[in-house]
Structures are given as C-alpha cells and as structure tokens.
Amino acid sequence: IITFGKLQARNTVRDVGRVLQMPYGQVDRLAKMIPNNPANPVTLQEALDADADLRAERDKEETSQKLIEIALQLEGLYRHASTHAAGVVISDRPLHQLCPVYRDPRSDMPVTQFNMKYVEQAGLVKFDFLGLKTLTVVQKALQLVEEVHGKKIDILQIPLDDAGAYEMIARGESVGVFQLESSGMKDTLRKMKPNRFEDIIALVSLYRPGPMDNIPKYCSVKDGHEEADYLHPKLRPMLEETYGIMVYQEQVMQAAQILSGYTLGGADLLRRAMGKKIKSEMDAQQAMFVKGAAEHSGVGAEQAAAIFVQIEKFAGYGFNKSHAAAYALIAYQTAWLKSNYPVEFMAASMTLDYGNTDKLAIFKQETQRMGIPLLPPDINKSGVMFVVEEQKIRYALAALKGVGHGAMEKVIQERNDGGLFKTLADFINRLDAKVMNKKSFEQLICAGAFDSLYPKRAQLYENMESLLRHVQAQADERSSGQVSLFGEPQGAASLPPMKDAQEWDILEKLRYEFEAVGFYLSSHPLDTKAAQMERMKIIPFSRLAEELDRRPSSRVQMAGILIKKVEKVSAKSGNKFAFLQMSDATGVYEVMIFSETLSKSRSLLEPGNALLLTCDADIKDEQVRLLGQIIAPLDTTLADKMMELNVYIDAAAPVKRLYDLMQVEGAGNVKISIFAKVPDGDTAEIALKGRWSVSPAAISAIRSTPGVIRIAER
C-alpha cells in the first residue's frame, strides 16, 4: 500500500534551503527552531507567530527571508510517495483490475496508488503484518544461552508460572521487557504486582488512553481492598479473571450471548455497533438486548438496560484478547529470559539496538544496576555484535559510532582465519586497505579497542594517517607482486616511524571515548570529584529516590555532564522551556527548565559541560521529577569550595611544573599533597607548605602534565 509523505515545517525549510544552495549551518539553525512534535505537528506559520527568536533569525538575512517565504507556500504539499511499513492488500484477481499500481524504486513489490483509506473503498482487504524486533531478541538470547551453557531451550515450552520472572516485573525492573518498558508501565507494574499470565494480558489491554482509568479498580479488587462488581451473577464466570472489569471485546460478545441469547454473529455485530457509536444502531441493539435478556435470562427491562449501558461503556475501550495474549506471551518470554539468563538476554537486547546510542545508554545503566560488567571494546576479544564473556558482556565493535558493520565483519573474519592479532604491527599488516577508513580507525582508537595491543591512544591518534598510508602501501605492493629478499612483502610485521604525542589525561580520554561510544563506558569525568561532591552534599542520581523517600518534595543539588538539550515551546503560554539530559557516574537523568532559567544559563548549556544544578525534586506516580532552578559551572563551584588537592606522580618532572603553577595561583585555602612511588615500592607523601589557590584552569594544567598519574579533589 502506498503512503504519501507531506512537506512539514522542518522538512520544507531544509528542502528549500538545499535548493537555494544556502549554507547548511544557517538552514539547520532555522529548522531546529521549529518545534518538532510528530503527534501534533506545528505549522511554519504557527512557529513564526509563537517564537520571536525565529522571526528575528528570519529577518537577520535576506536569504533566510526568501527561504521562509517559499517554504510557507510549499508546506503541506505531498513531498514523495513510499511504501506503507506494514500494510499489504491481497486480491482475488490481478491487482491492476481493481486499482492503479505503482512501482517503488526501493521495493520489489508492486504498490497500490490508492492509500490505505481508499484501497478498502476499492473493495480490497487490508492486512497489517508487523515485524517485531523482539522476536529476534528472543532468538538471539536463546542462541547465546546455547553457546554459553550448552542448553537448547524451546521458548514455547517454558513454564508460565516462573516466580522469579513475576517478582522481577512486580518490582518494575522491566528494561528490555516487551511492552512493559515505559516509565508509566513500570509504575503500573509496581502497583498491580502481576503474579499470573492473565495479569499481563489484562495489563497490555488496559494500559491505553481510556481503559487506564480501570487500572486502580483492577489493582484494588486483585489486592482484596474492594469487592468485584459482576453486573449479573450469570456474567461472573467470564468476568472473574479480570475482577469484574470488562477488558476484552470477547467479554462483550460473551455477555450478549449469556444474558440475551445472541448468536456469535449477532454478538459481533453488537461489538461493532458499540465501537461505532451510531445512535440509531445502538437504539436497535439495546431493544434487542433488553428483549433477549427478558426471554433468555428473566432479567427485567430496567436492569437489562442498565447492564447494556455498562457493557456499552466497556465496549468503547475493549481490546481484542487474542491479540493481547500474543503480545503478553512475548512480554512474558522476555521477562523469563531476563530473570533466568540476564547476561545473555541483555547482550541480545543490546545487539538488536546496536545502532541506537540512546537505547544502549539505557541498557548500560541497567547492566550496571544488575551488577553485570560491561567490558570495553577490544580488537582481540570483541565480536561484531555484543558477546558474553565469562558472564560479562563485551562491547560490540559495530556499535561504535561511524564504524561500519561490514568492515568489522571482515576484521573479525581475519582474526578467526589468521589467529589473534599479536601486536599493532601484526594488525596493521594483516588489514585489508579497503576495510578501514580514517573515521572507523579513529573511533576504534578513541574507544580503546587497541589498548591491549598499543595502550598509547594519543600517539596512535596522531599517527593514524601514516598508519593508514602504510596499509595502502602494503596493499599496492601485494598487488604489484613486490617481495623482499626473504620472500615476505616489504614492511611486513613492522610499523612506519611514529611521531611522539603527549598522552591524553583522563578527562580527554573520556571525552574521546564518549564521542566514539555515545556515553561514558570505562569511567566517568566526575569520578575524580566524588569525595568533594559528597562533602558538599551533592546527591548522585542513584540516591535521589531514597533521599526523596525521607523528604518527598525538596530542593536538591545535583551534578552532571550535559549530554543533550531539547528546547520546546509551550502551547499555552508560547514561552520556551527545555529538557536537559544529564549524566553522572551513577546514571542518566532528565531535568526540565523553564524560560527564565533557560535564558539565564543558555551560555552554559553546551553538550560536554560539567554543570551543578539546583533543582526542585518530587515524586509523582512513583517517578522522580526534576525542575532546574539554578545552573552553574561545576568546576568553578568546586574549585571555590576545595579543601585538599592530592597529586599522584610517577616521575620528578611534574614537581617543577606544579611549583610554577602555584606561584601564579598564589595563596588560598587548599592543602596540596604530592604522592610519589619510592624505590622500595612504598608511596611517599610530600605536603606543600601553606595553603594555595587552585583555579579550574590550574587543575586542568596539572592533570595534563606528563608524569601526573591522577589527581583527587576533596
């Protein structure tokens, strides 16, 4: 089935900018100022009316004015045709006899020229075939279980009453569990505490707008706090499993059969009529129901009418149980795997989302919570995808940004065929010149994939181009047939001369690692400040819920590295607000800020900046919410409050550098100690006389000094 893509506000601006050959940065700036809400798209005119900054940006340059003027005229037109993701039609005769047909150049299957609304009117039946990635996650997890434990599990034969699986989801630990992952769903799981398969079927059906209102009643009756209302004693058997709440369309049909003697076909017509809510149809159905109830069950007209009204209310939201049961089964299977084989399940889940950095960051956080070590990528140990290594998960090479799946397959194939790479020279000389480009080599270096062969990341990074030229030269020699006197290609098992480079300090190393992986994998930039933040009562994200249990609504100080900022415009007031995605050593969290805080702190809100946030925190529906009130640079604040600075060295050279820096900084409040290894293996502490001033710039300079192993701030 065909689907038509329309020119919406952002796309129109980008398309017009491209045709006008405007600079990408200028067009991108304009496009990003238009709110992006797929559920309720904002038109370009609405965005202009609501946002003075967008109007100012438009008026700044003549080219921007022209772009907006053209975009306003084009917006809303069809941009392109493509194929519906899941919709197909199946016909009893050649399709061109019933509707015009189109050939999508990206698909081998013919496509209807009528969209999904009109193909049905043309007499065709529409089918939706949904491909579920989760089925592949289950399959991959079972494959890993077989590889690691030697067990072959038939997922269709697992017991449906596994206590561990139900206890896990009842605690809301459902990251990666099909259909039960959202924060609202986790909250509902904690309230409902599912302990049988029927609860999961009901939850999948109830967790939708409308029927959600019945969840508190379901939980209350399930827990024995409230009596179930079965409408009529005859309906009790079929309403018992859902505690008197009519959740499924099948129950609506059964009620009509049991009480009023409807046939199956008649009950289905009643269900459809209730869904359409056409008054004339409903009046006719009510008369039939009341009459049937009197004849079939001896129910009085008034009571039958009241039951009909109740059934009608449920029918508007009724869900198809057979559909819900199929989804619930997959939900249970993923919960069972996570509970019984957590390492294999998490590795499979990460494999199927290897290209989605945001999802991988959530999985990383979950593995941390579960106590499953996530090992860094390693050219000799990693697979193309995530692998299980001694009940730990080894990071996938193909999951690194800008590293191609196909290229990594060839690297792993070479490793399998020729054995592990013994040295960097061995890797370079076995590398196919067509496999590795500059970007993928760079990302592998930054993520630490070569650390086991050559731990000096900065030197590798600086010599990357000469190493790749060496690979190309090797390929040219092989193709020309040149060999050395010893019968080996020239330069085999050797590296080209490598220029020296100052090794990255820990923060620089983490910054490069973040760019390659998409989140902090080996450690976190705030790790060195942990003692100081604890002294200042800055709360880590993992302890926030516990803190709010003691004082449910309070003002807290939190620290983090800004990962992402998303600006939006309030539909009511027209004011801007923003969501900040922050990362501390214990997890990733979100802070909302309103327009006043946003405008005051805009210069600080650059990804990668370390921030100190003063937030109003509370718990609503068992979810922690943070509203940022004050934002400040973390390093400056901590430097002002620092009491001690410990510098760990492995050479004498940094002492002179430290002395020179302190002469510039002058006297202050910080006690400085130097810790150095002495010949007998002990560590000597040298305390500098007096107290010193230490600025963020000085800390950065000390950290990057050759010979400094690490520093600790207190």
Side-chain angles (χ1 to χ4, degrees):
I1 299 174
I2 205 165
T3 181
F4 296 104
K6 279 188 176 180
L7 279 164
Q8 291 186 329
R10 277 192 172 192
N11 279 346
T12 315
V13 166
R14 291 188 190 280
D15 284 354
V16 173
R18 189 168 60 248
V19 174
L20 292 177
Q21 298 184 348
M22 288 169 63
Y24 174 78
Q26 184 183 354
V27 177
D28 188 55
R29 195 164 56 249
L30 277 165
K32 282 182 176 171
M33 292 177 85
I34 301 164
N36 184 29
N37 181 2
N40 185 21
V42 174
T43 67
L44 183 51
Q45 190 59 58
E46 285 170 349
L48 286 164
D49 293 343
D51 191 350
D53 292 346
L54 179 57
R55 294 195 296 274
E57 190 67 36
R58 173 197 62 187
D59 298 337
K60 200 185 286 182
E61 293 183 40
E62 196 177 321
T63 50
S64 297
Q65 288 177 7
K66 187 177 180 185
L67 181 150
I68 296 291
E69 187 184 317
I70 295 169
L72 283 166
Q73 295 171 65
L74 295 177
E75 187 182 13
L77 296 176
Y78 284 140
R79 182 182 188 273
H80 61 267
S82 59
T83 305
H84 190 290
V88 299
V89 289
I90 299 172
S91 174
D92 64 345
R93 68 199 76 175
L95 202 57
H96 65 263
Q97 292 179 17
L98 291 167
C99 76
V101 187
Y102 158 76
R103 167 84 59 186
D104 186 335
R106 292 158 299 182
S107 170
D108 294 330
M109 190 182 286
V111 183
T112 68
Q113 283 194 34
F114 292 156
N115 68 13
M116 62 182 185
K117 181 179 173 183
Y118 296 110
V119 286
E120 289 189 324
Q121 292 179 18
L124 289 160
V125 180
K126 180 168 71 76
F127 297 83
D128 266 14
F129 291 100
L130 305 179
L132 281 184
K133 181 177 66 179
T134 309
L135 294 173
T136 315
V137 171
V138 169
Q139 185 183 38
K140 180 68 182 170
L142 294 173
Q143 181 190 326
L144 289 171
V145 169
E146 189 173 356
E147 287 171 13
V148 174
H149 301 281
K151 287 183 185 175
K152 196 170 179 67
I153 295 168
D154 182 350
I155 199 67
L156 297 176
Q157 299 300 320
I158 61 171
L160 291 178
D161 58 356
D162 184 76
Y166 287 112
E167 284 163 15
M168 181 190 76
I169 59 174
R171 292 191 298 269
E173 295 167 5
S174 58
V175 171
V177 177
F178 181 63
Q179 292 279 296
L180 309 182
E181 283 193 88
S182 71
S183 56
M185 185 61 96
K186 287 178 189 172
D187 179 39
T188 305
L189 287 168
R190 286 189 283 265
K191 287 174 182 169
M192 185 184 283
K193 296 189 171 33
N195 56 3
R196 58 191 188 128
F197 185 57
E198 287 77 6
D199 286 340
I200 303 177
I201 304 174
L203 185 54
V204 167
S205 306
L206 287 169
Y207 197 81
R208 296 175 299 122
M212 283 181 95
D213 297 341
N214 289 314
I215 291 176
K217 167 98 173 167
Y218 185 101
C219 297
S220 184
V221 178
K222 176 179 161 66
D223 292 342
H225 300 312
E226 206 175 321
E227 285 292 319
D229 176 10
Y230 297 113
L231 302 178
H232 190 277
K234 275 195 167 188
L235 300 182
R236 179 169 183 149
M238 62 88 167
L239 286 177
E240 213 153 19
E241 72 165 274
T242 52
Y243 304 107
I245 298 163
M246 215 171 267
V247 177
Y248 312 116
Q249 292 175 350
E250 288 89 340
Q251 287 173 317
V252 171
M253 294 166 68
Q254 280 179 300
Q257 282 180 275
I258 293 166
L259 267 188
S260 299
Y262 273 64
T263 63
L264 274 173
D268 191 45
L269 290 173
L270 170 68
R271 177 193 62 78
R272 285 193 202 180
M274 284 180 164
K276 290 179 184 171
K277 292 184 167 53
I278 297 167
K279 190 172 185 317
S280 57
E281 278 190 42
M282 289 306 298
D283 289 345
Q285 287 289 349
Q286 181 167 352
M288 197 187 304
F289 184 91
V290 170
K291 183 169 180 273
E295 291 171 0
H296 195 73
S297 305
V299 177
E302 197 174 322
Q303 189 187 359
I307 291 171
F308 184 87
V309 169
Q310 283 295 308
I311 292 174
E312 185 186 355
K313 189 174 139 196
F314 284 123
Y317 301 127
F319 202 66
N320 182 272
K321 187 183 180 184
S322 54
H323 177 81
Y327 267 37
L329 181 63
I330 300 168
Y332 177 80
Q333 288 170 352
T334 53
W336 185 88
L337 283 165
K338 187 179 180 183
S339 174
N340 290 278
Y341 298 97
V343 181
E344 292 77 10
F345 176 75
M346 293 306 293
S349 298
M350 294 176 89
T351 291
L352 268 292
D353 268 309
Y354 82 95
N356 184 339
T357 304
D358 290 345
K359 202 70 196 281
L360 288 178
I362 291 167
F363 286 137
K364 188 253 180 184
Q365 209 172 317
E366 182 69 355
T367 55
Q368 201 172 321
R369 185 197 64 75
M370 295 166 77
I372 300 169
L374 183 58
L375 303 172
D378 185 310
I379 204 73
N380 265 333
K381 293 179 179 174
S382 290
V384 179
M385 291 293 129
F386 292 83
V387 293
V388 176
E389 188 182 306
E390 297 173 354
Q391 288 305 290
K392 304 178 182 91
I393 298 172
R394 176 69 69 176
Y395 205 82
L397 295 178
L400 300 175
K401 290 180 169 184
V403 175
H405 185 282
M408 292 306 100
E409 278 186 330
K410 286 177 180 162
V411 168
I412 301 299
Q413 186 63 52
E414 171 58 35
R415 190 179 78 194
N416 292 341
D417 293 345
L420 296 179
F421 302 110
K422 298 177 186 69
T423 60
L424 180 66
D426 183 37
F427 174 81
I428 291 295
N429 285 285
R430 284 162 63 184
L431 187 64
D432 185 334
K434 294 172 189 167
V435 165
M436 192 79 69
N437 60 27
K438 183 183 173 184
K439 181 68 177 172
S440 53
F441 194 35
E442 177 186 314
Q443 299 297 70
L444 287 167
I445 293 167
C446 293
F450 296 115
D451 284 4
S452 59
L453 301 179
Y454 201 91
K456 296 178 181 177
R457 292 187 197 178
Q459 191 182 19
L460 256 185
Y461 189 87
E462 291 301 322
N463 289 275
M464 177 168 45
E465 290 186 9
S466 67
L467 288 168
L468 287 173
R469 280 198 298 273
H470 179 77
V471 171
Q472 187 59 53
Q474 294 280 87
D476 293 344
E477 284 176 13
R478 281 193 289 268
S479 63
S480 65
Q482 291 182 41
V483 292
S484 71
L485 291 172
F486 300 100
E488 290 181 340
Q490 290 174 18
S494 66
L495 286 173
M498 302 248 286
K499 61 184 178 188
D500 286 335
Q502 184 175 318
E503 194 48 43
W504 296 329
D505 66 39
I506 183 68
L507 288 185
E508 228 176 340
K509 191 180 275 191
L510 285 174
R511 181 170 61 80
Y512 281 112
E513 188 181 285
F514 183 89
E515 285 170 12
V517 178
F519 50 88
Y520 297 105
L521 183 60
S522 58
S523 60
H524 197 277
L526 301 187
D527 286 347
T528 59
K529 307 173 194 296
Q532 201 181 354
M533 291 195 298
E534 190 167 347
R535 183 170 57 77
M536 288 178 61
K537 294 187 168 49
I538 295 170
I539 298 170
F541 173 63
S542 63
R543 287 217 324 259
L544 184 58
E546 177 193 324
E547 185 73 21
L548 292 175
D549 277 344
R550 289 199 292 273
R551 41 188 186 127
S553 184
S554 56
R555 184 159 280 202
V556 295
Q557 278 201 317
M558 298 184 70
I561 306 292
L562 178 63
I563 296 175
K564 189 164 68 176
K565 174 188 72 173
V566 178
E567 286 192 30
K568 298 196 173 189
V569 178
S570 166
K572 285 183 182 175
S573 64
N575 292 332
K576 287 188 175 179
F577 62 98
F579 289 100
L580 309 180
Q581 191 179 25
M582 305 296 300
S583 163
D584 73 5
T586 66
V588 176
Y589 60 95
E590 193 171 74
V591 178
M592 182 182 177
I593 56 173
F594 287 137
S595 55
E596 191 179 341
T597 311
L598 176 61
S599 58
K600 279 182 186 172
S601 54
R602 192 177 285 281
S603 61
L604 298 173
L605 301 179
E606 290 295 326
N609 282 357
L611 304 174
L612 177 67
L613 301 106
T614 303
C615 301
D616 287 335
D618 65 3
I619 295 181
K620 187 171 183 182
D621 297 330
E622 295 191 32
Q623 287 298 308
V624 174
R625 298 187 313 172
L626 292 165
L627 179 62
Q629 300 292 359
I630 304 166
I631 299 175
L634 179 66
D635 291 341
T636 308
T637 311
L638 292 184
D640 291 344
K641 306 279 185 184
M642 195 188 303
M643 303 299 291
E644 290 179 33
L645 179 68
N646 295 331
V647 183
Y648 296 81
I649 62 172
D650 64 358
V655 179
K656 174 73 169 68
R657 170 81 167 144
L658 188 61
Y659 175 80
D660 293 341
L661 281 166
M662 289 307 102
Q663 298 310 305
V664 175
E665 291 288 303
N669 300 315
V670 183
K671 177 192 170 191
I672 300 177
S673 297
I674 299 172
F675 292 84
K677 291 275 185 192
V678 290
D680 65 0
D682 286 341
T683 300
E685 179 183 353
I686 307 155
L688 271 62
K689 283 184 180 176
R691 292 195 173 252
W692 302 87
S693 173
V694 184
S695 67
I699 291 170
S700 181
I702 296 166
R703 189 180 274 118
S704 60
T705 301
V708 171
I709 306 167
R710 66 185 176 92
I711 66 172
E713 304 158 46
R714 297 181 189 279

